[in-house]
Amino acid sequence: MQIFKTKDALKKYIKKERKEDKSIGFVPTMGTLHIGHLSLIENARKSNDVVVCSIFVNPKQFNNKDDLLKYPRNINKDINLLKRQNCDILFCPNEEEMYPGDNHQNKTSFYFGDLDKEMEGKQRLGHFQGVATIVNKFFELLQPCTAYFGEKDFQQVLIVRKMIEQMDMKVKVISCPIIREKNGLALSSRNERLNNAQKQEATLIYQALLKIKETASKVSVGEAKKIAENMFEKSHLELDYVKICDENTLKEVKEIGTSNSVRAFIAAYIGNIRLIDNMAVR
Ligand code: AMP
């Protein structure tokens, strides 16, 4: 596996690959890789000549300094995992490389319609501008044919698609299913910060999503939401939101109609660690 830390070195290498008409599949990550990330690499491996993974803890998408400082990092382990997964290129730049000089010059403003008005956009101000800024920079640099994102961050997938449309880019986005622990907990780098008891308790998020899926066609959407919210009352998890939304607009639905694709979303804190998860309801 080739490891690049600078844009110039990466660009030079990619230019050579592109001349040979090779297809480039890209998986952006913030590292501390787990099987969820590796499933994206595996998908990219199946359909591309060259697989590029980036590891960059993007400061611009953190609205909470403490969360950024405590974000787990484990580059040596990540490199071994990527090698085993037959990843071709790892791009792991530092902050100065991606945001050189005055930060203000790096502030692009993207328009997401209403997609960033709710859920993670509402709770983490500036988060999606930060995500779009770095993904846009990576796409411009690499010009991948296809980029792979996890449905774990479902809202992020829609945001990236909107950014591509706005910037008139030619990158195809493939969204990949959520990989979970046997007990249902969605894999996340932030799980590293949970102790075993907390990991067990956090499965409540999955159980609540399952409950919504199970009840949503039998009771009203409002009742299904209430049932899920109540499940958190006697737990150590502090619920942030439960939303039952149209998958395309992310607007809350009033009923599970026959035509719309509906997905339930939950965010909750355990200690001061924020966990998110979602599940298709129909
Ligand atoms: P992150 O390192 O958290 O920025 O995640 C990098 C990519 O991996 C994003 O597209 C995430 O949605 C995806 N991802 C994270 N956790 C999972 C998971 N449990 N299953 C599938 N994809 C995931």
Side-chain angles (χ1 to χ4, degrees):
M1 183 172 71
Q2 302 272 345
I3 301 178
F4 297 112
K5 294 185 174 177
T6 67
K7 291 179 286 192
D8 282 348
L10 176 70
K11 247 198 269 186
K12 203 167 144 198
Y13 189 88
I14 289 290
K15 199 172 164 190
K16 202 174 77 210
E17 299 289 66
R18 196 168 291 107
K19 263 197 189 144
E20 293 172 22
D21 243 1
K22 291 185 180 169
S23 58
I24 295 162
F26 177 45
V27 180
T29 81
M30 297 204 297
T32 308
L33 303 180
H34 50 64
I35 300 168
H37 295 115
L38 299 183
S39 74
L40 305 185
I41 304 277
E42 199 180 313
N43 277 319
R45 186 70 285 166
K46 279 185 204 148
S47 321
N48 296 275
D49 299 317
V50 182
V51 176
V52 183
C53 174
S54 64
I55 294 183
F56 180 63
V57 181
N58 175 30
K60 284 192 192 295
Q61 70 187 70
F62 286 79
N63 60 333
N64 178 330
K65 269 218 171 92
D66 192 49
D67 190 26
L68 173 61
L69 283 174
K70 291 193 175 140
Y71 198 83
R73 293 155 210 248
N74 209 335
I75 190 74
N76 292 330
K77 190 173 161 211
D78 288 348
I79 289 173
N80 284 330
L81 288 170
L82 288 172
K83 281 183 182 165
R84 262 195 269 157
Q85 208 66 26
N86 290 325
C87 179
D88 298 305
I89 297 172
L90 165 63
F91 180 48
C92 48
N94 64 18
E95 241 179 77
E96 180 60 22
E97 185 66 17
M98 294 318 295
Y99 299 115
D102 180 1
N103 269 350
H104 298 294
Q105 289 172 1
N106 291 296
K107 274 217 169 115
T108 318
S109 209
F110 298 94
Y111 175 70
F112 305 121
D114 284 339
L115 290 176
D116 64 339
K117 303 283 183 288
E118 290 298 329
M119 297 194 283
E120 296 311 286
K122 194 170 176 180
Q123 307 300 332
R124 304 170 68 188
L125 288 179
H127 170 67
F128 287 125
Q129 288 294 341
V131 168
T133 299
I134 196 65
V135 173
N136 180 54
K137 273 174 185 274
F138 285 150
F139 282 2
E140 276 187 353
L141 188 63
L142 271 171
Q143 294 175 24
C145 314
T146 315
Y148 297 79
F149 290 84
E151 286 182 353
K152 161 82 169 41
D153 301 280
F154 195 87
Q155 193 173 10
Q156 174 172 275
V157 176
L158 299 196
I159 290 283
V160 170
R161 289 203 168 115
K162 191 84 181 166
M163 181 276 284
I164 289 173
E165 186 189 307
Q166 191 190 347
M167 304 309 282
D168 202 14
M169 291 180 140
K170 301 232 159 8
V171 185
K172 181 175 166 198
V173 167
I174 306 257
S175 63
C176 305
I178 301 172
I179 307 296
R180 302 176 178 283
E181 304 268 12
K182 273 203 189 91
N183 61 15
L185 177 65
L187 294 182
S188 163
S189 306
R190 286 190 175 84
N191 294 356
E192 293 263 314
R193 294 177 56 200
L194 305 178
N195 63 34
N196 285 341
Q198 286 174 318
K199 274 187 192 155
Q200 190 51 44
E201 273 221 77
T203 61
L204 185 58
I205 298 174
Y206 174 67
Q207 287 153 22
L209 287 167
L210 273 183
K211 194 75 183 170
I212 294 173
K213 190 180 168 82
E214 184 192 309
T215 53
S217 56
K218 298 178 193 146
V219 299
S220 72
V221 166
E223 278 171 271
K225 195 172 151 175
K226 198 88 216 130
I227 292 169
E229 284 167 353
N230 288 345
M231 289 172 74
F232 287 82
E233 263 176 16
K234 288 198 179 97
S235 77
H236 292 111
L237 274 79
E238 190 193 325
L239 187 62
D240 191 347
Y241 60 73
V242 174
K243 303 258 183 200
I244 303 176
C245 303
D246 180 290
E247 270 196 357
N248 301 308
T249 63
L250 299 185
K251 296 235 184 284
E252 284 193 89
V253 295
K254 293 199 172 58
E255 57 181 35
I256 311 280
T258 46
S259 59
N260 46 3
S261 309
V262 177
R263 192 169 277 263
F265 297 83
I266 293 181
Y269 290 90
I270 183 151
N272 53 2
I273 301 157
R274 193 159 193 282
L275 300 176
I276 58 170
D277 198 354
N278 67 82
M279 189 180 283
V281 171
R282 64 157 288 131

